[in-house]
Amino acid sequence: MSLVSGPGVAGNTSSLPNEIQLAISAHVSYIQSLDTRRDELEYWLTEHLRMNGLYWGLTSLHLLGRPDALPRHETIAFVLSCQKDSGGFGAASGHDAHLLSTVSAVQILVMVDAIDELDSKGKGSEGGKGGVELVGNYIAALQDRMTGTFRGDEFGEEDTRFIYAGFNALSLLHLLHLVDVPLAVLFIESCANFDGGYGVAPGAESHSGQIFTCLAALTIAGRIDMVNKDKLGRWLSERQVEAGGLNGRPEKLEDVCYSWWVAASLTMIGKLHWIDGDKLAKFILSCQDTENGGIADRAGDMVDVFHTVFGLAGLSLLGWEGLEPVDPVYCMPKKITERVLGTRV
């Protein structure tokens, strides 16, 4: 496999300048190095993101065509060490369970084809329920049956991110029936704004990240039909700035992570062609460290695994040659979601 590649529409990329080629080998090495930096303060300050970080890194490796670059046994062992008796998962061993950590745990286990490990672990003995059902019941218990929304954890924070997280994990586990999907859809509908976008709650400002979570949840629920696609497409396409990157709200700076939130949303409503894909790709690639690997929010800033995965996922949506196709709803390799969920229109 070539170490550099370009957009599928661009043909031969060997003449492209180095700064607009994708440094696949460097990115793989960067992700592999992340768990070796235990002597650095930043490693411990980001422990609350450990499960999410593993999902971001593993997804990046899958998109780069290197799914086996992290040891499978150690990956599974870490995920299972973070599971609580409730069925939920914490960010790391010793952390409380949270829905965001739980959805990442489910996605990781799906990507390494290890969902069956949940049952074999023996956590699911309560009431005769298997481990997979225990996880599903933990998530279902976080839904507010009055409003349809979800809490992030037992302490009660609610917003549209958690509806998507719940739908994501439950659908991958084939347990979406455990929650009131129509009621959650009504809550999302109540978050729609005059500009076609969605916020964290009814009346909240439209934001690209929240729009993605609402569209993805509606797609999983089979209700993308309720979206005003033209109005929302206009708002989303206006997120592209002169530099080629995308922002989250009007008058904000461009950021690589919105290459995913905005482009995936446009993909779900069939409007990805409403932005300049070539300019976006060049912006993403200008933010990578071609020597040491990783992608930053903007050129010249420090790289991190969060922006690396969403930069790569954005390039994948654009059809960048050499990257695995990404599922715009789940931010996982499409071939994996199709294996688990079947081909979706």
Side-chain angles (χ1 to χ4, degrees):
M1 180 175 62
S2 172
L3 294 184
V4 295
S5 51
V9 296
N12 187 349
T13 63
S14 60
S15 61
L16 289 175
N18 288 335
E19 64 270 17
I20 58 171
Q21 295 183 355
L22 184 61
I24 292 178
S25 181
H27 295 321
V28 171
S29 296
Y30 164 71
I31 294 164
Q32 289 177 315
S33 74
L34 291 175
D35 200 47
T36 67
R37 303 179 178 184
R38 300 190 181 196
D39 59 340
E40 298 179 10
L41 179 61
E42 183 181 5
Y43 180 90
W44 300 106
L45 291 178
T46 57
E47 187 177 61
H48 64 291
L49 296 173
R50 194 75 71 235
M51 185 71 75
N52 302 132
L54 179 56
Y55 156 70
W56 297 330
L58 184 63
T59 301
S60 297
L61 292 171
H62 274 266
L63 296 180
L64 290 165
R66 290 291 305 280
D68 300 323
L70 293 181
R72 181 175 183 271
H73 176 74
E74 292 180 21
T75 297
I76 296 170
F78 169 75
V79 172
L80 295 182
S81 74
C82 299
Q83 190 180 23
K84 307 304 174 185
D85 290 339
S86 64
F89 293 80
S93 180
H95 285 239
D96 292 337
H98 193 283
L99 183 51
L100 296 183
S101 301
T102 300
V103 65
S104 287
V106 170
Q107 290 177 292
I108 292 164
L109 292 176
V110 167
M111 280 191 280
V112 299
D113 196 16
I115 285 294
D116 289 347
E117 296 282 343
L118 290 171
D119 289 321
S120 64
K121 184 183 177 186
K123 283 272 187 180
S125 59
E126 298 178 9
K129 296 175 181 176
V132 171
E133 289 185 65
L134 191 65
V135 178
N137 288 331
Y138 165 78
I139 297 171
L142 294 174
Q143 185 179 34
D144 185 327
R145 298 299 174 134
M146 295 294 292
T147 65
T149 191
F150 284 69
R151 300 183 301 278
D153 56 25
E154 62 185 294
F155 302 107
E157 180 188 11
E158 298 180 354
D159 75 47
T160 46
R161 289 177 302 159
F162 304 141
I163 297 178
Y164 166 64
F167 280 15
N168 181 317
L170 288 172
S171 60
L172 290 173
L173 296 173
H174 301 285
L175 294 175
L176 194 57
H177 62 274
L178 294 179
V179 295
D180 190 333
V181 173
L183 190 59
V185 167
L186 285 175
F187 182 84
I188 293 173
E189 185 178 26
S190 73
C191 298
N193 291 320
F194 70 93
D195 54 18
Y198 298 83
V200 300
E205 160 184 35
S206 295
H207 186 278
S208 298
Q210 302 300 144
I211 289 169
F212 165 80
T213 63
C214 290
L215 292 186
L218 291 174
T219 300
I220 293 171
R223 291 305 315 276
I224 195 71
D225 61 287
M226 66 189 299
V227 177
N228 187 327
K229 297 179 182 178
D230 287 342
K231 183 184 287 187
L232 178 56
R234 285 192 293 272
W235 190 91
L236 288 168
S237 63
E238 290 171 358
R239 304 282 61 75
Q240 188 163 40
V241 303
E242 185 62 31
L246 302 164
N247 62 22
R249 293 175 290 163
E251 305 302 322
K252 296 295 184 180
L253 292 175
E254 66 277 16
D255 187 315
V256 159
C257 71
Y258 294 111
S259 306
W260 171 255
W261 310 121
V262 175
S265 297
L266 287 168
T267 299
M268 283 185 273
I269 61 173
K271 308 293 186 185
L272 184 59
H273 60 287
W274 283 17
I275 61 172
D276 189 325
D278 287 339
K279 288 183 68 174
L280 176 58
K282 289 179 181 178
F283 167 73
I284 297 170
L285 293 170
S286 72
C287 299
Q288 67 178 338
D289 183 334
T290 56
E291 293 185 7
N292 300 310
I295 300 176
D297 58 346
R298 284 179 286 277
D301 288 350
M302 184 175 293
V303 304
D304 59 72
V305 68
F306 173 87
H307 288 92
T308 299
V309 67
F310 293 125
L312 293 173
L315 289 173
S316 177
L317 289 173
L318 296 172
W320 196 267
E321 184 183 350
L323 289 178
E324 289 287 331
V326 67
D327 189 309
V329 176
Y330 290 86
C331 196
M332 295 168 62
K334 186 175 289 187
K335 64 183 180 183
I336 289 179
T337 58
E338 289 181 347
R339 168 175 59 81
V340 175
L341 301 168
T343 302
R344 307 186 314 284
V345 178

